[in-house]
Amino acid sequence: MVDIKLIEDLTTAFGPSGFEDQLVEILKNYLQDFQLEVDPMSNLYASFKDQAKKEFTIQLDAHTDEVGFMVQSINDNGTMNFVGLGGWLPTNIPAHLVAIKKKNGDLVEGITGSTPPHFMAKEDRDKALTIESMFIDVGARSRQELIEDFGIEVGAPISPLVDFNFNEEKGLLRGKAFDNRLGCACIVETMKRLKDSTDLNLNVVGAFASQEEVGMRGAKITSQRIKPDLAIVFEGSPADDLYFPKNLAQGALGQGVQIRHLDQSYIGNVDFINLAKTIACDQGIKYQSAVRRAGSTNAGAIHLSEKGVPVLVLGIPSRYVHSHYNFALVEDFEATVNLAVKVIEALDQAAIKKILKK
């Protein structure tokens, strides 16, 4: 049974790139039965306690950061200019609630604003919206009030402010940061289901990586430290079922886990993918194959580490990623965890060596 509270706690947490500390604390609470370590980049590592070391190691990856913003400067009228942390479409930003972290760690609610049509010349209304033309307003009336009373300074991190909802009847999740808090929840669920397995042929290390949205930075460190032989990357992948016909969509809600063959950061390992597909068919796990023209995951960093690491990328289709609000289905999340567990259990010496070409 999927832990909905885990998903709620992770998705509502504050954690734009470079400010993932709250996520680390939440995950540590859910992973108390595991051996944990945190590095200076706020990457979190989880491994089984008291298990005999095996010859090969598999890294389970998901990134903890979400797309967000940072205060770039403060205006005399008390509003803030800001920059993006991660990839944003400017049209997705205005007229939404955000949370700004004060210097004492508390959060302040703000609104992303832009010039209303009442104060725009007619010729300016059709011009492209830019981040530079927007601002964030917390209701302050001066620069001094914003700094002294609200406690906000240049460099303050900002994230979308969205509540969480679960429609139990439909199995529908709605919230923010499904890219990639759903992936983080997948690692937790996968490791808990494997914890009591006595015949695993690999060391399993969960790696919750920081700063993926700004260049896969955390995963460059986690893969150096773990030195995995294989890896599974979990992602909240962009759902495409609203934009393509049924037979062309490769990230549709309700069609199961997405197995990614290609994106801008990596080409999938054929043997690893074939193993996953065979297991999915044998176990009746719904899956969909994806060849992406754009986008990337931490697989881009991990597969180029050490001597080269075969990576399997498993995605939970999520609508409207890199915006404030997301939809996903519990059944796709469950399919992703089930496939990961079955793949890891099936990785015996012969399967591992085939993938590694040993």
Side-chain angles (χ1 to χ4, degrees), residues 131-198:
I131 288 183
E132 291 77 12
S133 67
M134 290 180 258
F135 54 86
I136 291 175
D137 183 5
V138 299
R141 291 167 293 170
S142 69
R143 174 186 173 87
Q144 181 180 5
E145 183 183 8
L146 184 72
I147 295 172
E148 295 182 0
D149 295 347
F150 284 89
I152 296 173
E153 297 182 338
V154 169
I158 306 161
S159 80
L161 183 59
V162 176
D163 65 349
F164 174 83
N165 180 265
F166 175 53
N167 184 327
E168 188 173 0
E169 181 182 356
K170 296 293 185 181
L172 182 66
L173 305 162
R174 195 269 295 152
K176 74 173 178 74
F178 286 9
D179 173 14
N180 186 30
R181 308 291 167 68
L182 291 185
C184 294
C186 280
I187 295 183
V188 175
E189 293 279 3
T190 299
M191 294 195 68
K192 286 187 173 181
R193 297 183 194 188
L194 292 171
K195 184 170 70 73
D196 297 323
S197 297
T198 57

Side-chain angles (χ1 to χ4, degrees), residues 128-342:
L129 193 65
T130 65
I131 288 183
E132 291 77 12
S133 67
M134 290 180 258
F135 54 86
I136 291 175
D137 183 5
V138 299
R141 291 167 293 170
S142 69
R143 174 186 173 87
Q144 181 180 5
E145 183 183 8
L146 184 72
I147 295 172
E148 295 182 0
D149 295 347
F150 284 89
I152 296 173
E153 297 182 338
V154 169
I158 306 161
S159 80
L161 183 59
V162 176
D163 65 349
F164 174 83
N165 180 265
F166 175 53
N167 184 327
E168 188 173 0
E169 181 182 356
K170 296 293 185 181
L172 182 66
L173 305 162
R174 195 269 295 152
K176 74 173 178 74
F178 286 9
D179 173 14
N180 186 30
R181 308 291 167 68
L182 291 185
C184 294
C186 280
I187 295 183
V188 175
E189 293 279 3
T190 299
M191 294 195 68
K192 286 187 173 181
R193 297 183 194 188
L194 292 171
K195 184 170 70 73
D196 297 323
S197 297
T198 57
D199 56 353
L200 294 180
N201 294 289
L202 309 97
N203 308 308
V204 180
V205 182
F208 301 86
S210 64
Q211 299 189 38
E212 188 268 356
E213 298 292 359
V214 290
M216 300 178 278
R217 297 172 186 174
K220 293 174 183 177
I221 304 303
T222 61
S223 55
Q224 289 178 35
R225 292 185 62 144
I226 296 171
K227 298 182 177 10
D229 300 285
L230 302 168
I232 295 176
V233 169
F234 296 102
E235 261 290 352
S237 294
D240 61 358
D241 51 353
L242 300 183
Y243 317 112
F244 296 100
K246 181 178 179 180
N247 292 329
L248 296 183
Q250 299 181 339
L253 268 63
Q255 295 304 306
V257 53
Q258 182 195 72
I259 300 175
R260 188 176 296 201
H261 291 244
L262 171 76
D263 62 27
Q264 288 186 326
S265 68
Y266 101 123
I267 299 172
N269 180 278
V270 174
D271 292 324
F272 211 171
I273 287 175
N274 286 342
L275 174 66
K277 287 184 173 182
T278 298
I279 291 171
C281 291
D282 291 345
Q283 297 291 325
I285 299 171
K286 292 172 69 172
Y287 76 89
Q288 48 196 317
S289 294
V291 174
R292 295 283 308 281
R293 295 179 183 270
S296 61
T297 72
N298 276 341
I302 296 169
H303 87 288
L304 295 177
S305 64
E306 294 295 314
K307 296 179 181 179
V309 179
V311 181
L312 177 66
V313 178
L314 302 180
I316 306 98
S318 304
R319 288 181 178 170
Y320 316 120
V321 298
H322 286 221
S323 72
H324 275 62
Y325 301 94
N326 307 152
F327 281 126
L329 288 175
V330 167
E331 64 182 275
D332 295 331
F333 179 92
E334 183 70 19
T336 304
V337 173
N338 285 343
L339 184 56
V341 169
K342 295 299 182 183

Side-chain angles (χ1 to χ4, degrees), residues 114-122 124-125:
S114 59
T115 304
H118 312 72
F119 306 125
M120 297 176 71
K122 184 177 181 180
D124 292 332
R125 295 182 185 182

